[in-house]
Amino acid sequence: MTQEKHEIHDSSENKAKMNEMMSNESNNDGAVTAIVQYQGRATEEVQKIMKCVVAAKSEEKYLNENIMFLLWLYDGNFRKEVLRDTFIDALNLAAIQDEGTKRRPKMRKVCRDALNKMQQGADNCPIMLQKLTFNISRIISLREKIEKANFYHKLPIVA
């Protein structure tokens, strides 16, 4: 019982502090400034909220599609053109460990880790996005047809 009262007391105390902060931070026109300042990139709290926007199964599906895309870039003529050297080196080491396996689990893990480490505002994307000057959506839509024909390595790179 005493613990519940303490929690209620904390809650009302926090509300009072928040109201005080908001009244101190309001402009003459009645607008309220943000309690948490924008620091040029998403805070950890905002990133947690944004992760909740997409369902977990959808997020996993998108991640797997992106892994396939990274491996497709690595396997084709696009490797040196659009992938970062450090990422290529990591994939090369994983490829050695994956010799004899069909699904390439080590290479997929390298891709998954690189994608999970990406943050908006940080320059840690495994793809050099500024070098993607060709119509990537068209190439992605053709990917299956091209792979079936084993022709993807002959596509020209537009720089």
Side-chain angles (χ1 to χ4, degrees):
M1 189 75 153
T2 56
Q3 188 177 13
E4 288 177 12
K5 286 182 182 178
H6 182 69
E7 290 177 77
I8 292 170
H9 176 70
D10 282 347
S11 176
S12 60
E13 186 178 302
N14 287 341
K15 284 181 185 176
K17 285 181 182 178
M18 202 122 133
N19 287 335
E20 182 182 330
M21 285 173 50
M22 289 175 70
S23 65
N24 290 342
E25 294 291 327
S26 66
N27 299 329
N28 292 337
D29 60 359
V32 177
T33 57
I35 294 172
V36 178
Q37 286 186 326
Y38 178 69
Q39 301 169 348
R41 63 176 185 82
T43 62
E44 287 183 36
E45 292 84 10
V46 171
Q47 288 175 3
K48 286 179 188 175
I49 292 169
M50 293 305 292
K51 282 224 172 241
C52 295
V53 173
V54 179
K57 285 186 177 183
S58 296
E59 185 177 349
E60 185 67 24
K61 180 183 176 189
Y62 298 148
L63 183 61
N64 287 328
E65 286 291 321
N66 286 329
I67 289 169
M68 286 174 39
F69 179 62
L70 287 173
L71 291 174
W72 180 73
L73 288 173
Y74 176 81
D75 291 337
N77 285 339
F78 311 111
R79 179 185 313 182
K80 296 259 187 221
E81 306 299 325
V82 295
L83 296 178
R84 297 197 184 275
D85 291 335
T86 54
F87 183 66
I88 293 171
D89 293 342
L91 281 176
N92 287 337
L93 288 173
I96 293 168
Q97 295 173 348
D98 276 344
E99 281 184 19
T101 62
K102 186 176 181 178
R103 297 199 36 92
R104 307 190 291 184
K106 301 287 186 190
M107 292 178 75
R108 287 178 179 274
K109 183 176 182 343
V110 168
C111 293
R112 180 179 298 273
D113 292 346
L115 291 168
N116 284 332
K117 287 179 186 173
M118 283 182 10
Q119 289 184 345
Q120 186 177 4
D123 191 25
N124 61 352
C125 180
I127 301 173
M128 294 180 282
L129 297 173
Q130 67 275 15
K131 296 217 176 172
L132 293 180
T133 57
F134 50 87
N135 186 346
I136 195 136
S137 61
R138 176 79 175 134
I139 288 178
I140 291 172
S141 67
L142 293 174
R143 185 180 69 191
E144 273 188 33
K145 294 176 187 175
I146 292 170
E147 284 177 350
K148 285 180 183 174
N150 198 18
F151 185 69
Y152 66 93
H153 62 280
K154 296 180 182 176
L155 286 175
I157 295 177
V158 179

